[in-house]
Amino acid sequence: MAPGFVDIHTHYDAQLYFEPTASPSSWHGVTTVITGNCGFSLFPARPDDVSWLCDMLSRVEGMAPATLAAGVGFTGGGMNDFAAGIDGQIGVNVGLQVGHSALRRFVLGDDAGTRTATAAETEAMQDLLRAALDEGAVGFSSSQLDMHVDQHGNPVPSNLAAADELVALASVFADRAHGVIEFISRSNLEGHDDADRALMLAMCAASGKPMNVNPIVNLPMMGDGWKRGLEFVDEARAAGHRVHPQSQLQQMQVFFALHDTFLFDEMAEFREVLTAGDRREAMLRDPAVRDRLRAALAHTEGRALVFTWDAVKVARADEHPEWVGLTVVELGRCARRRSLRRVPRRLARRAAPHHVHARRLARRPLAGDDRRGRASPPRASRGAATPAHTSRATAGWSTRPGC
């Protein structure tokens, strides 16, 4: 198929090392994928940091850490080193972006997730970015969403970057003919506050390059944030900047597993438990912990993702196929227990893998829906048929008889 669709927002950085077709995007006519979005590339990397970057990617994007550890053969280095591992081995075209979190990790080490960078450290990141662009990287990406945390529950490195650091990195593109910036502001879902708007305009001015802004999504708890986001795009374009918001072609659907999804990370109570590693199971058995989790879910003010358990269905249950299609509430009724009380208990037990499918996270149509507020060209860039952020790994639900 030529030229096919170009999926400008993917996280296939690790997958391409062990799955050359970039499925499922290629199933829908995508022939070119752009990786390294949201600041999460696997290069540049020191050899000892590759596993850390893979674990961060697995946490933020809901991938199985063991799969990435087994499948990613990259052992560190720059853009050319990373590209060498997939060159001639994949069935799609790929454009590699340089992730901000990888740059910070390379330069600041363990401090990348705890503090801002010094002037000298920012210059070192600029040099790394220049080197990657010289080797053929197509752009730079960053994000500052508070719900993005690493495998230890700490902010991802890009969240600690000051505005001056982001503008300095954007300025690397000023003397280049090509390049693009992908960015998610901290207040993106609310439509970008004044500080974030000033930051993005400064990055555009410093770079002189297009900026892809993610995402335009109509979430019930965010009111008209998507409209304010589009208004900012209009204002930026009127000022001469090329800002392109991304939207999607389908209603939001997410496959997730509680033990490794990022969907609950905006709640500190869940973040503390789900990133506790070997202590997680013991914590989930504690009635006091479960009470705190229930209370956190009930408090929806300021949350981006809000749904009820009757909207969550089992999408995969290898040992209990009769569970597929049941909601969590229905499973709870089968067990004659409150559904929310049963979820952490089942999660706490080691058993066969099962998947949970959250449907209708947004009860109202999204911005790209014909029924309300279409985000029309040239302002909106639409992604492929599958969401960029998809939590699809396996969950530790207990093996219990079906209903």
Side-chain angles (χ1 to χ4, degrees):
M1 178 184 247
F5 296 110
V6 178
D7 191 340
I8 65 173
H9 192 124
T10 80
H11 292 281
Y12 288 126
D13 307 67
Q15 180 176 326
L16 289 174
Y17 261 79
F18 54 85
E19 197 287 292
T21 70
S23 65
S25 289
S26 58
W27 301 347
H28 301 281
V30 170
T31 56
T32 299
V33 297
I34 307 300
T35 64
N37 284 282
C38 304
F40 307 135
S41 66
L42 299 182
F43 72 89
R46 301 182 187 277
D48 291 343
D49 283 336
V50 173
S51 61
W52 190 96
L53 291 169
C54 284
D55 286 346
M56 178 186 67
L57 183 64
S58 73
R59 175 67 195 170
V60 176
E61 298 304 328
M63 305 172 186
T67 300
L68 271 60
V72 175
F74 178 54
T75 57
M79 208 286 299
N80 276 342
D81 299 301
F82 181 85
I86 58 175
D87 187 30
Q89 306 297 315
I90 55 178
V92 292
N93 304 309
V94 60
L96 302 173
Q97 294 182 114
V98 186
H100 193 182
S101 285
L103 292 173
R104 293 191 110 244
R105 180 73 185 184
F106 193 102
V107 174
L108 278 74
D110 289 337
D111 286 349
T114 62
R115 65 173 175 84
T116 58
T118 65
E121 289 167 337
T122 299
E123 290 180 4
M125 284 187 273
Q126 287 179 302
D127 290 340
L128 286 170
L129 178 56
R130 288 190 189 96
L133 294 174
D134 288 344
E135 292 176 350
V138 299
F140 164 75
S141 72
S142 186
S143 65
Q144 298 200 304
L145 287 178
D146 290 333
M147 70 185 300
H148 279 165
V149 300
D150 67 18
Q151 58 272 31
H152 304 297
N154 301 315
V156 296
S158 58
N159 281 13
L160 275 297
D164 289 348
E165 177 183 326
L166 282 158
V167 174
L169 289 168
S171 72
V172 171
F173 290 89
D175 60 352
R176 295 175 179 270
H178 305 288
V180 65
I181 295 172
E182 183 266 343
F183 186 65
I184 306 180
S185 76
R186 184 166 281 109
S187 58
N188 174 76
L189 294 175
E190 295 90 351
H192 315 295
D193 61 22
D194 290 344
D196 281 335
R197 292 184 179 207
L199 169 59
M200 288 187 285
L201 292 177
M203 292 172 68
C204 289
S207 67
K209 299 298 182 290
M211 174 183 283
N212 296 325
V213 180
N214 294 275
I216 298 296
V217 180
N218 185 4
L219 294 175
M221 303 304 294
M222 295 295 110
D224 289 334
W226 67 276
K227 287 185 179 180
R228 292 192 292 274
L230 287 178
E231 290 168 357
F232 165 69
V233 170
D234 289 338
E235 295 169 3
R237 292 175 69 88
H241 302 300
R242 292 173 287 172
V243 177
H244 306 285
Q246 296 181 25
S247 64
Q248 58 193 57
L249 295 173
Q250 66 198 52
Q251 191 179 43
M252 182 182 289
Q253 299 184 65
V254 179
F255 291 83
F256 73 94
L258 277 177
H259 80 292
D260 60 10
T261 183
F262 71 93
L263 294 179
F264 299 92
D265 283 349
E266 58 183 330
M267 292 175 282
E269 297 84 356
F270 271 86
R271 188 166 64 244
E272 176 188 2
V273 174
L274 298 182
T275 60
D278 293 340
R279 297 182 295 113
R280 181 180 60 223
E281 294 180 11
M283 294 177 71
L284 285 168
R285 291 191 181 99
D286 186 338
V289 171
R290 296 198 298 273
D291 285 342
R292 290 199 298 272
L293 296 182
R294 280 191 289 273
L297 279 174
H299 184 70
T300 60
E301 182 178 355
R303 295 246 306 277
L305 297 176
V306 178
F307 56 88
T308 56
W309 291 112
D310 61 352
V312 180
K313 288 187 174 183
V314 176
R316 174 182 170 187
D318 292 347
E319 294 190 6
H320 292 280
E322 69 275 12
W323 288 1
V324 174
L326 293 179
T327 68
V328 174
V329 171
E330 290 168 337
L331 280 177
R333 288 172 181 165
C334 292
R336 295 183 180 180
R337 294 289 186 91
R338 290 174 57 190
S339 61
L340 185 54
R341 188 180 300 277
R342 298 301 301 166
V343 170
R345 285 185 178 178
R346 292 177 179 182
L347 174 64
R349 301 176 183 175
R350 297 185 182 274
H354 304 291
H355 284 66
V356 183
H357 176 202
R359 58 181 174 87
R360 295 195 303 274
L361 288 183
R363 294 187 178 276
R364 295 186 293 173
L366 302 179
D369 197 306
D370 284 332
R371 292 170 291 176
R372 184 176 302 182
R374 178 190 297 272
S376 302
R379 295 186 297 176
S381 300
R382 298 187 182 275
T386 54
H389 295 266
T390 305
S391 184
R392 316 190 309 167
T394 56
W397 287 65
S398 67
T399 53
R400 295 178 55 85
C403 300

